Amino acid sequence: MSDRAMSDAATSGFTTGMDRQLAFYRAGVAGSRPDFPIGYEALERAAREVLSETAYDYVAGGAGSEDTMRANLEAFRRWRIVPRMLCDVSERDLVVELFGARLAHPLLLAPLGVQRIIHEDAELATARAAREMGTALVLSTVSSCTMEEVAAEMGDVPHWFQLYWPADPSLAESLISRAEAAGFGALVVTLDAALLGWRPRDLVHAYLPFLHAEGLANYFADPAFRALLGRAPEEDPAAAVGRMATLFANPALSWEDLAFARERTTLPILLKGILDPDDARRALDSGVDGIIVSNHGGRQVDGAIAALDALPGIVEAAAGRPVLFDSGIRGGADLFKALALGARAGLIGRPYAFGLGLAGRDGVRHVLQNLLAEFDLTMALCGCSSAAEIDRSRLARQAP
Ligand code: FNR
């Protein structure tokens, strides 16, 4: 990336937390109120009003009893922030560098598939908000818009491609090379969805979006996928959906297969879904560049460890190599805690999905603005001027 592109990529539509809140308070003097809810729970409630029941449950639900989904949130409550005083926090710098690219802030949008069930503008609305805010986005394999369309929308703002490693190597190769050609800056290989988790809310509705031909844009546009079909998806969509269902996941994948991806791209490779320090060591020994600690927002293994509880051990195992984090970040303080435990950046999933459902691009932007505002104010009030200053010394473990 050129210096110019690097500085453009780090330009954020976000100003400061103080500006954001003053804009609300000033508007309040003239009698107006924020257009959308501020807190996460209120946002989720409002989105529920506008989403179909099936779409809402698909987004909001988790695996089994949803124990891990709850544990993800509870884990944050067990860490307490210890603010420091008199640190001159008048200027704050949210920029982080990852894999040679500058991110305007240590927050990314996690890969969420099938966004057309949430809003008609789907990933294009999300990408517009992300570009306006300078927020890096990770695009799902099972997106409703093609990766080429989304990359064009993102421009110079960093965007990474998430790979669901398909059961057919020609398709895997094609998806990877298309992502590189389209300008995605990293490949995120999701490991925790080799099979679909047991999700009671979706089972009750007997609803799996892919079988309704949702989220298949990248497959239907792919020459390698099309070559595997007897007839084009436009002529026989049902057969194309059926073929995708047999290729989507690859339970046979093993550590040895990582070399296949490594040989086919020069992009940084991150593995998403690592929860065990031994897996983290093995990943880094296998030549990948980074790790995303995640339990898929509690959607895969009910009873799995809270992602935040797994984070410190994996940061230690990674020995300085980049570790990112998702699953349970709901506000600026959560992001602060994840960084304090060693994550270089955090990703959000459901918060922006609900913003998208509520108001498309404006809803996603609202969520990003507020989360970053709260993060910026938390940083300042805790005596940190930059994301790099946020470390373990800023936290205390809550007494049991
Ligand atoms: C996801 N997630 C996900 N992950 C991935 O690697 N590829 C994908 O296509 C999807 N799709 C998806 C859809 C929906 C509706 C949700 C809620 C989640 C998981 C996602 O990237 C991330 O790990 C979690 O959403 C993070 O947890 P929170 O922020 O939702 O708690």
Side-chain angles (χ1 to χ4, degrees):
M1 208 187 243
S2 69
D3 285 348
R4 177 72 214 290
M6 269 177 69
S7 70
D8 282 349
T11 303
S12 173
F14 172 72
T15 46
T16 66
M18 191 69 186
D19 289 338
R20 179 69 176 164
Q21 63 185 9
L22 278 180
F24 285 130
Y25 293 136
R26 288 203 178 104
V29 175
S32 77
R33 295 284 177 275
D35 290 338
F36 310 116
I38 300 293
Y40 177 78
E41 285 81 14
L43 182 83
E44 175 167 354
R45 276 196 304 277
R48 186 173 194 166
E49 297 286 308
V50 299
L51 291 173
S52 69
E53 207 183 343
T54 48
Y56 170 75
D57 278 333
Y58 184 74
V59 174
S65 68
E66 303 190 340
D67 178 42
T68 292
M69 227 168 74
R70 284 186 295 276
N72 281 341
L73 305 186
E74 285 159 11
F76 280 95
R77 311 286 82 76
R78 291 194 294 272
W79 290 103
R80 298 277 138 194
I81 300 170
V82 186
R84 302 295 301 270
M85 302 297 134
L86 294 172
C87 299
D88 183 2
V89 289
S90 51
E91 301 282 332
R92 280 152 342 259
D93 180 11
L94 270 54
V95 169
V96 289
E97 263 199 50
L98 275 172
F99 312 114
R102 280 159 65 85
L103 274 53
H105 30 253
L107 178 71
L108 297 88
L109 296 179
L112 295 192
V114 292
Q115 292 187 19
R116 189 149 292 128
I117 69 169
I118 305 173
H119 190 274
E120 60 181 353
D121 297 336
E123 291 84 7
L124 293 183
T126 299
R128 278 176 203 134
R131 192 191 61 218
E132 287 163 9
M133 292 298 296
T135 305
L137 169 148
V138 187
L139 182 74
S140 167
T141 300
V142 288
S143 49
S144 304
C145 307
T146 65
M147 62 173 104
E148 289 81 6
E149 291 173 301
V150 174
E153 200 61 58
M154 288 300 288
D156 279 338
V157 174
H159 44 287
W160 301 350
F161 181 71
Q162 176 265 322
L163 181 72
Y164 276 137
W165 196 304
D168 180 90
S170 70
L171 179 56
E173 181 160 21
S174 179
L175 291 169
I176 294 170
S177 68
R178 277 172 64 198
E180 191 158 0
F184 286 85
L187 186 70
V188 174
V189 181
T190 296
L191 302 180
D192 58 12
L195 301 162
L196 195 65
W198 180 257
R199 299 180 186 164
R201 293 203 214 193
D202 298 336
L203 291 164
V204 166
H205 298 305
Y207 178 67
L208 184 64
F210 316 109
L211 298 188
H212 297 259
E214 298 287 356
L216 306 187
N218 284 324
Y219 298 88
F220 285 10
D222 194 279
F225 179 74
R226 297 173 76 92
L228 297 169
L229 302 174
R231 289 164 69 201
E234 300 75 31
E235 289 164 25
D236 191 351
V241 169
R243 193 76 178 101
M244 181 276 184
T246 65
L247 292 173
F248 161 74
N250 188 351
L253 208 65
S254 70
W255 289 103
E256 287 66 42
D257 293 310
L258 291 177
F260 177 95
R262 186 64 297 164
E263 283 156 17
R264 278 160 184 80
T265 181
T266 56
L267 294 177
I269 297 177
L270 292 92
L271 299 185
K272 174 171 181 279
I274 298 274
L275 293 168
D276 183 296
D278 283 340
D279 278 354
R281 277 185 279 273
R282 186 136 192 208
L284 297 167
D285 289 347
S286 308
V288 305
D289 303 280
I291 284 169
I292 303 181
V293 173
S294 166
N295 58 27
H296 218 103
R299 296 164 72 78
Q300 285 297 95
V301 178
D302 192 27
I305 183 172
L308 195 73
D309 288 338
L311 178 61
I314 291 180
V315 168
E316 199 187 332
R321 272 183 297 145
V323 175
L324 283 70
F325 170 87
D326 79 28
S327 298
I329 294 176
R330 297 292 176 261
D334 295 339
L335 178 59
F336 185 96
K337 290 177 187 178
L339 297 191
L341 291 174
R344 298 277 281 274
L347 299 83
I348 49 168
R350 293 183 184 87
Y352 87 85
F354 292 133
L356 178 68
L358 204 50
R361 176 192 69 175
D362 292 348
V364 176
R365 210 173 42 200
H366 173 83
V367 167
L368 286 171
Q369 291 268 20
N370 290 350
L371 204 150
L372 289 167
E374 195 186 355
F375 174 69
D376 177 52
L377 290 168
T378 305
M379 256 178 67
L381 290 166
C382 294
C384 297
S385 300
S386 72
E389 283 174 36
I390 304 172
D391 64 17
R392 180 68 183 74
S393 70
R394 309 282 170 167
L395 295 185
R397 188 83 172 151
Q398 171 92 316

